[in-house]
Amino acid sequence: MVLGVSGGIAAYKACELLRLLTESGHDVTVVPTAAALRFVGAPTWAALSGKPVSTEVWDDVHEVPHVRIGQSADLVVVAPATADLVAKAAHGLADDLLTNTLLTARCPVVLAPAMHTEMWEHAATQANVATLRARGVLVLEPAEGRLTGADSGKGRLPEAAEIFDVCLDVLVRGIAAEDLAGRQVVVSAGGTREYLDPVRFLGNRSSGRQGYALARAAASRGAEVTLVAANTTLPEPAGVKVVHVETTEELRTEVLAAAGSADAVVMAAAPADFRPTSVSAAKIKKADDGSAPSIELAQNPDILHELSHRRSREGQVVVGFAAETGDDTGTVLDLARAKLARKGCDLLVVNDVSGGAVFGSADNEAVILAADGGTRDVPRGSKTQVAHAIWDEVATRLQD
Ligand code: CTP
């Protein structure tokens, strides 16, 4: 792999990306620009990658590095990509080792732009980004938030872990076809909390990873994505609108609002089924006599059921998840088929949790059951691979 680094303050975040790439076993050649070295020096890149680093085409000329590095790469990722680097890439300029590498690479290329909002929004940059995307380069949307100085806006480099996930996805699947372009999708993720008092809650172990992988995968396939996230601490997927919620009722409100015009809704969240009937305004104190309070619970609304039975749009595809264990009344798949019918959704992604935990793990395996009778086995793989299998099934069911 080639990690290109151009000259922006976010170059320091590329060190973390490099670490993630090398620690997961990838062979990474770092190609910084001369300007990048003003932010992070060559010894850092050399030490972290275990390879010499150069910026110019004039080093080791007998090895023809300006052609060889690009030709032999399986993936080139540039993070951060400055406005200048994006412009050079769009116009085919080749005045240093990185821009030569971009011209000679025939593998997938991922650019993670980072710059001030004005620069990102400038018509010149937007035209360059459009040119690159039309040529099949994956240009990530910058994240929103604090920029170099006290100002904030769109233009931050997405988190290293986020770019890392995109790179792994591209290595497995290549640059995804934009088969969800023009589609609006809603994904829920994480586990809701139901408060007993200001500091205590009933919650569950859902990490939100599968939902985040779904949001990222949909964005990479061109969809406009709203991610309703309950109590997650994961890096925000690039180019995705994230709405944070805590309780099942808040999740319901935000999912239903976003679902209004959506082509598909995927309920990957684990909403708490019950909530305390009352929330104490003050912290509940321990009683002197050693007794414990009883907590009366009320049932929460079933959002998936509601979405499925009151479709806000004709042809909207609704997807649910089910973590099942078999019992005396039936196998995992028997119970899941019954749940699919009860919930009324189009697809149910079934995780067999009899053997071990799915929660928090990077991997998953599933069976996707369809209301039209179909069954698809998704072999063990990353949550990103499972996410793409789900979107494949959704895509075939979307109407024009
Ligand atoms: N779900 C929901 N609203 C709830 C609870 C669950 O939308 N209040 C959705 C989850 O997001 C997931 C699916 O329903 O897509 C999970 O189903 P499961 O947790 O098995 O639902 P339960 O209603 O708890 O199942 P059962 O009917 O077996 O009790």
Side-chain angles (χ1 to χ4, degrees):
M1 259 163 105
V2 173
L3 171 60
V5 186
S6 57
I9 184 70
Y12 76 92
K13 292 190 186 170
C15 301
E16 176 66 20
L17 175 60
L18 175 56
R19 245 320 229 279
L20 292 168
L21 293 170
T22 55
E23 281 177 5
S24 56
H26 296 95
D27 175 339
V28 188
T29 301
V30 183
V31 184
T33 63
L37 294 186
R38 297 180 71 124
F39 291 97
V40 178
T44 302
W45 303 119
L48 291 177
S49 67
K51 292 185 184 204
V53 161
S54 72
T55 64
E56 302 301 332
V57 293
W58 309 114
D59 301 325
D60 302 317
V61 176
H62 61 289
E63 290 180 358
V64 206
H66 74 289
V67 178
R68 186 184 46 81
I69 294 175
Q71 277 178 341
S72 58
D74 294 310
L75 176 76
V76 178
V77 52
V78 184
T82 58
D84 182 62
L85 188 281
V86 168
K88 283 180 175 158
H91 293 277
L93 299 187
D95 60 356
D96 63 6
L97 192 55
L98 178 54
T99 45
N100 274 273
T101 298
L102 287 169
L103 271 190
T104 51
R106 293 293 173 271
C107 59
V109 174
V110 176
L111 300 186
M115 61 194 76
H116 266 78
T117 311
E118 293 83 349
M119 290 180 161
W120 172 252
E121 289 176 347
H122 195 284
T125 305
Q126 286 302 308
N128 291 333
V129 168
T131 300
L132 289 165
R133 285 181 174 156
R135 274 188 213 136
V137 174
L138 178 55
V139 184
L140 302 181
E141 286 292 312
E144 290 192 29
R146 179 92 187 259
L147 300 173
T148 319
D151 48 346
S152 63
K154 189 166 185 175
R156 273 172 68 89
L157 188 71
E159 294 304 316
E162 175 59 31
I163 302 171
F164 174 66
D165 279 348
V166 171
C167 290
L168 296 193
D169 185 23
V170 169
L171 277 172
V172 173
R173 289 175 51 93
I175 306 278
E178 297 221 334
D179 59 349
L180 297 176
R183 302 292 190 177
Q184 283 180 35
V185 304
V186 181
V187 178
S188 70
T192 62
R193 291 176 180 176
E194 301 296 346
Y195 280 88
L196 302 167
D197 68 18
V199 294
R200 300 187 181 94
F201 55 80
L202 299 175
N204 64 67
R205 289 174 57 200
S206 173
S207 65
R209 282 180 201 278
Q210 184 62 70
Y212 273 62
L214 277 156
R216 190 184 308 111
S220 77
R221 293 167 76 148
E224 189 185 312
V225 187
T226 302
L227 174 63
V228 185
N231 308 298
T232 53
T233 52
L234 300 166
E236 300 211 339
V240 167
K241 180 181 172 201
V242 186
V243 182
H244 290 281
V245 297
E246 285 196 89
T247 64
T248 295
E249 191 51 52
E250 287 166 9
L251 184 75
R252 175 180 173 273
T253 304
E254 294 299 338
V255 166
L256 293 183
S261 53
D263 298 285
V265 186
V266 182
M267 284 295 298
D273 281 322
F274 308 103
R275 65 178 184 282
T277 45
S278 66
V279 184
S280 169
K283 190 178 165 202
I284 300 167
K285 302 283 183 301
K286 281 201 286 282
D288 291 338
D289 64 2
S291 65
S294 303
I295 300 160
E296 197 188 331
L297 299 174
Q299 193 164 333
N300 273 328
D302 187 323
I303 308 166
L304 179 60
H305 188 275
E306 193 172 344
L307 281 166
S308 304
H309 288 86
R310 295 213 320 244
R311 309 263 171 160
S312 48
R313 246 187 93 155
E314 202 184 328
Q316 186 177 66
V317 179
V318 178
V319 184
F321 273 72
E324 294 285 357
T325 59
D327 63 18
D328 329 338
T329 62
T331 64
V332 167
L333 285 188
D334 294 337
L335 296 175
R337 274 263 165 231
K339 182 169 285 184
L340 173 66
R342 209 164 54 240
K343 298 267 186 181
C345 49
D346 302 293
L347 297 169
L348 190 72
V349 184
V350 186
N351 296 127
D352 180 348
V353 290
S354 323
V358 182
F359 305 106
S361 116
D363 277 3
N364 202 353
E365 74 182 302
V367 177
I368 306 175
L369 299 182
D372 52 27
T375 303
R376 171 172 175 163
D377 284 313
V378 186
R380 173 151 290 275
S382 69
K383 288 188 173 175
T384 300
Q385 284 167 277
V386 174
H388 279 295
I390 295 167
W391 290 123
D392 288 345
E393 293 301 314
V394 170
T396 61
R397 287 170 175 80
L398 290 171
Q399 292 164 2
D400 290 332

Coordinates of all heavy atoms in Angstrom, one line a residue, residues 179-180 183 221 317 347 370 372 376 389-400:
D179 N -24.3 2.3 -6.7 CA -25.7 1.8 -7.0 C -26.8 2.4 -6.1 O -27.9 2.1 -6.3 CB -25.7 0.3 -7.0 CG -25.3 -0.3 -5.7 OD1 -24.8 0.4 -4.8 OD2 -25.5 -1.6 -5.5
L180 N -26.3 3.1 -5.0 CA -27.3 3.8 -4.2 C -27.3 5.3 -4.4 O -27.9 6.0 -3.6 CB -27.1 3.5 -2.7 CG -27.2 2.0 -2.3 CD1 -26.8 1.8 -0.9 CD2 -28.6 1.4 -2.6
R183 N -30.3 7.9 -3.6 CA -31.2 7.3 -2.6 C -30.9 7.9 -1.3 O -29.8 8.2 -0.9 CB -30.9 5.8 -2.5 CG -31.0 5.0 -3.9 CD -32.5 5.0 -4.3 NE -32.7 4.1 -5.4 CZ -33.9 3.8 -5.9 NH1 -35.0 4.4 -5.5 NH2 -34.0 3.0 -6.9
R221 N -21.5 3.8 -1.4 CA -22.3 3.4 -2.6 C -23.1 4.5 -3.1 O -24.0 4.4 -4.0 CB -23.1 2.1 -2.3 CG -22.2 0.9 -2.1 CD -22.9 -0.2 -1.5 NE -23.8 -1.0 -2.4 CZ -24.0 -2.3 -2.3 NH1 -23.5 -3.0 -1.4 NH2 -24.8 -2.9 -3.2
V317 N -38.0 0.2 1.7 CA -37.5 -1.1 2.1 C -37.1 -1.0 3.6 O -36.3 -0.1 3.9 CB -36.3 -1.5 1.3 CG1 -35.8 -2.9 1.8 CG2 -36.7 -1.6 -0.2
L347 N -36.8 -7.4 5.1 CA -35.6 -8.2 5.3 C -35.3 -8.3 6.8 O -35.4 -7.3 7.5 CB -34.4 -7.6 4.6 CG -34.4 -7.4 3.1 CD1 -33.3 -6.5 2.6 CD2 -34.3 -8.8 2.4
A370 N -35.7 -12.9 3.7 CA -36.6 -11.9 3.0 C -38.0 -12.3 3.2 O -38.4 -13.5 3.2 CB -36.2 -11.9 1.6
D372 N -40.1 -12.0 0.9 CA -40.5 -12.7 -0.3 C -40.0 -14.1 -0.4 O -40.1 -14.8 -1.4 CB -40.1 -11.9 -1.5 CG -38.6 -11.5 -1.5 OD1 -37.8 -12.3 -0.9 OD2 -38.2 -10.5 -2.1
R376 N -30.4 -15.6 2.3 CA -29.0 -15.4 1.9 C -28.1 -15.6 3.1 O -28.2 -15.0 4.1 CB -28.8 -14.0 1.3 CG -27.3 -13.7 1.0 CD -27.2 -12.4 0.3 NE -25.8 -12.0 0.1 CZ -25.4 -11.1 -0.8 NH1 -26.3 -10.5 -1.6 NH2 -24.2 -10.8 -0.9
A389 N -23.4 -6.9 2.0 CA -24.4 -7.9 1.6 C -25.8 -7.4 1.9 O -26.7 -7.7 1.1 CB -24.1 -9.2 2.4
I390 N -26.0 -6.7 3.0 CA -27.4 -6.2 3.3 C -27.8 -5.2 2.2 O -28.9 -5.2 1.7 CB -27.4 -5.6 4.7 CG1 -27.1 -6.7 5.8 CG2 -28.7 -4.9 5.0 CD1 -26.9 -6.2 7.2
W391 N -26.8 -4.3 1.9 CA -27.2 -3.3 0.9 C -27.4 -3.9 -0.5 O -28.2 -3.4 -1.3 CB -26.1 -2.2 0.8 CG -26.1 -1.3 2.0 CD1 -25.1 -1.0 2.8 CD2 -27.3 -0.5 2.5 NE1 -25.5 -0.1 3.8 CE2 -26.8 0.2 3.7 CE3 -28.6 -0.3 2.1 CZ2 -27.6 1.0 4.4 CZ3 -29.4 0.5 2.9 CH2 -28.9 1.1 4.0
D392 N -26.7 -5.0 -0.8 CA -27.0 -5.7 -2.1 C -28.4 -6.2 -2.1 O -29.1 -6.0 -3.1 CB -26.1 -7.0 -2.2 CG -24.6 -6.7 -2.4 OD1 -24.3 -5.5 -2.8 OD2 -23.8 -7.6 -2.2
E393 N -28.9 -6.7 -1.0 CA -30.3 -7.2 -0.9 C -31.3 -6.0 -1.0 O -32.3 -6.1 -1.7 CB -30.5 -8.0 0.4 CG -29.8 -9.3 0.4 CD -30.1 -10.2 -0.7 OE1 -31.3 -10.4 -1.0 OE2 -29.2 -10.8 -1.4
V394 N -30.9 -4.9 -0.3 CA -31.8 -3.7 -0.4 C -31.9 -3.2 -1.8 O -32.9 -2.9 -2.3 CB -31.3 -2.6 0.6 CG1 -32.1 -1.3 0.4 CG2 -31.5 -3.1 2.1
A395 N -30.7 -3.1 -2.4 CA -30.6 -2.5 -3.7 C -31.5 -3.2 -4.8 O -32.1 -2.6 -5.6 CB -29.2 -2.4 -4.2
T396 N -31.5 -4.5 -4.7 CA -32.4 -5.3 -5.6 C -33.9 -5.1 -5.4 O -34.7 -5.3 -6.3 CB -32.1 -6.8 -5.6 OG1 -32.4 -7.3 -4.3 CG2 -30.6 -7.1 -5.9
R397 N -34.2 -4.6 -4.2 CA -35.6 -4.4 -3.9 C -36.1 -2.9 -4.1 O -37.3 -2.7 -3.9 CB -35.9 -4.9 -2.5 CG -35.9 -6.4 -2.4 CD -35.9 -6.9 -1.0 NE -36.0 -8.4 -1.0 CZ -35.0 -9.2 -1.2 NH1 -33.8 -8.7 -1.4 NH2 -35.1 -10.5 -1.3
L398 N -35.2 -2.0 -4.3 CA -35.6 -0.6 -4.5 C -36.3 -0.4 -5.8 O -35.9 -1.0 -6.8 CB -34.4 0.3 -4.4 CG -33.7 0.4 -3.0 CD1 -32.4 1.2 -3.2 CD2 -34.6 1.1 -2.1
Q399 N -37.3 0.4 -5.8 CA -38.1 0.6 -7.0 C -37.6 1.9 -7.6 O -37.1 2.8 -6.9 CB -39.6 0.7 -6.7 CG -40.1 -0.7 -6.3 CD -41.5 -0.6 -5.7 OE1 -42.0 0.5 -5.5 NE2 -42.0 -1.7 -5.2
D400 N -37.8 2.1 -8.9 CA -37.4 3.3 -9.6 C -38.3 4.5 -9.2 O -39.4 4.3 -8.9 CB -37.4 3.2 -11.1 CG -36.3 2.2 -11.5 OD1 -35.3 2.2 -10.7 OD2 -36.4 1.5 -12.5

